[in-house]
Amino acid sequence: MQYNPGWTNSSVNLLHVRAVGPNDTLHYVWSSIGAPAVLLVATASRTSALRINWTQLLSPAPAGAVWIDPPASVVYSTAIVFTKVFEYSEAESLEELFYPTYDLSDFSWDSINRTLNHTALTAEFTGVPATDPSGSFSNGSVAFRVTAYEASGRDGPLPSLLHTANSSKVEFVLAGVAPRGNSSRFALEVATVEETGVAQKLRSARSIDDEYTPTIFETLSLVAESHNDSAALSFLQWKATAYGSRTPRREDSIRCRSRGLQAANWTLPVSSIVHAYFGEGGGSTYTISAINISFGGEDGKVYQEKRYLSWSALLGFGQPPKDTFSPLVISIVAVALGTPLAMLLVGSGLVLFAQRKRYSDYEPIN
């Protein structure tokens, strides 16, 4: 993990996470320059390196300021941008009333240098609006907590996401922000940037196995697929839940909904790191898709009570991890289905034995 490689000023944040495999390298470039974003680049070289022209990156025209060396080693690249936070409430006419949007590209972000943990492979981007006329952020903030992984495993805290060494986690946290309505709900807009020839698809998987995330039976994945062979190139995966506590428990669950993936007809999100890598070729060299992920119960009062909301997602390369039935659930199902079957077989055997024994007591009639 490298913080602002080649730059000594901590007034901006850029975190480079580099994972080296036997014959390849995965690059994750997180940044809060502009809207918070992560650039994902897979290369076919163990020695590929991130290059940054800092003067150009921090200029009004950053296109071309970020690249991977050697360029020919790049086999796939994509980006995920967290663009906006919406706050809304439902009026008596069942129409949604939206308050002024929080544009994350207009936020002021703390230096992540003080939260960077090279042992745990974690860092935290914390920000507040540059201007806050409503005073909602006087005691609150928005944060994006980043975690990298060295091996496969499962997170301990809920929602206990299953991960591999090819993935990382991001946790969106809304803490202490005063709602502007009596039953406010929040939504996070997430944009993806893909090269031409790649399409985003939203998948939903349901399972009766909720051992690791109690009462949550749905997992959603935003998967980038190649038009040529439908192979999964990258993913953003999350459970259909958020939590209203710093130490989440089942009762702290907040309903999470995904409001349809759509092709975005606007220009590249205001994020210097993404603009710096992909350039100006919107529509010709890359495409943009966006999805809104909303949080809140039926009455919208979960956040109102605790003033805390956290939502976790996994992102990485290739197919998203897929949960299989755990040994505990397999044992329970086996007992639940096997016990009645065993009782039926034993009962049938006893009946047949009893019938045979009863008829054997009779002597043949002369």
Side-chain angles (χ1 to χ4, degrees):
M1 300 177 75
Q2 296 175 294
Y3 174 64
N4 288 353
W7 188 252
T8 57
N9 193 329
S10 61
S11 62
V12 295
N13 291 317
L14 188 145
L15 176 66
H16 177 215
V17 181
R18 183 168 174 263
V20 181
N23 301 299
D24 55 5
T25 303
L26 305 179
H27 298 269
Y28 294 86
V29 186
W30 300 87
S31 175
S32 60
I33 303 172
V38 55
L39 173 67
L40 292 81
V41 183
T43 70
S45 169
R46 297 187 76 252
T47 58
S48 61
L50 176 70
R51 304 298 185 197
I52 303 172
N53 182 329
W54 281 97
T55 303
Q56 186 178 352
L57 176 61
L58 300 178
S59 73
V66 174
W67 70 98
I68 297 295
D69 190 28
S73 67
V74 176
V75 294
Y76 173 70
S77 56
T78 183
I80 298 172
V81 189
F82 304 98
T83 52
K84 298 174 183 176
V85 174
F86 300 102
E87 182 181 350
Y88 64 98
S89 59
E90 200 170 84
E92 293 181 0
S93 59
L94 299 182
E95 293 182 355
E96 292 175 343
L97 171 65
F98 280 82
Y99 299 95
T101 302
Y102 294 120
D103 190 332
L104 295 178
S105 65
D106 294 332
F107 273 47
S108 174
W109 301 91
D110 294 342
S111 171
I112 67 168
N113 201 26
R114 60 181 180 82
T115 65
L116 188 58
N117 188 323
H118 289 271
T119 302
L121 301 178
T122 58
E124 182 172 331
F125 297 80
T126 303
V128 296
T131 58
D132 184 24
S134 66
S136 296
F137 278 80
S138 57
N139 294 309
S141 64
V142 164
F144 291 90
R145 296 173 181 165
V146 176
T147 303
Y149 299 109
E150 292 182 305
S152 299
R154 185 184 296 276
D155 272 357
L158 292 174
S160 303
L161 295 173
L162 180 67
H163 61 78
T164 68
N166 292 346
S167 59
S168 295
K169 185 182 77 170
V170 58
E171 183 182 1
F172 166 68
V173 178
L174 196 67
V177 179
R180 289 171 285 183
N182 293 328
S183 57
S184 285
R185 307 176 192 181
F186 293 90
L188 175 66
E189 183 182 72
V190 182
T192 63
V193 182
E194 292 291 348
E195 299 168 336
T196 54
V198 179
Q200 287 280 351
K201 292 189 177 179
L202 182 62
R203 299 177 182 174
S204 174
R206 295 180 179 272
S207 172
I208 63 171
D209 188 354
D210 69 338
E211 176 185 358
Y212 299 105
T213 314
T215 73
I216 307 301
F217 301 96
E218 184 180 16
T219 301
L220 295 110
S221 301
L222 197 57
V223 182
E225 295 182 350
S226 170
H227 287 311
N228 296 331
D229 53 11
S230 297
L233 301 173
S234 65
F235 64 87
L236 179 72
Q237 184 185 64
W238 65 96
K239 294 276 190 177
T241 184
Y243 292 94
S245 172
R246 297 179 187 274
T247 54
R249 299 168 297 174
R250 184 180 64 179
E251 53 267 31
D252 299 318
S253 177
I254 298 175
R255 189 171 184 177
C256 174
R257 292 179 177 176
S258 301
R259 302 194 173 190
L261 176 67
Q262 295 184 354
N265 56 6
W266 25 271
T267 57
L268 194 65
V270 182
S271 173
S272 293
I273 188 68
V274 179
H275 218 146
Y277 183 84
F278 284 96
E280 305 286 352
S284 58
T285 60
Y286 59 79
T287 57
I288 305 172
S289 302
I291 187 171
N292 289 341
I293 302 168
S294 62
F295 317 99
E298 295 300 328
D299 56 2
K301 293 183 179 179
V302 178
Y303 179 81
Q304 189 85 19
E305 296 173 356
K306 298 186 178 180
R307 300 279 179 95
Y308 189 88
L309 183 152
S310 70
W311 169 77
S312 299
L314 196 71
L315 53 94
F317 298 90
Q319 287 281 0
K322 186 177 181 180
D323 263 319
T324 57
F325 285 106
S326 65
L328 175 62
V329 171
I330 293 174
S331 302
I332 293 173
V333 172
V335 170
L337 297 179
T339 301
L341 180 61
M343 292 177 65
L344 179 62
L345 292 175
V346 171
S348 300
L350 291 174
V351 169
L352 292 174
F353 178 78
Q355 287 179 339
R356 178 174 294 182
K357 183 177 180 181
R358 184 180 63 190
Y359 285 115
S360 66
D361 289 341
Y362 288 91
E363 295 292 335
I365 298 176
N366 188 351

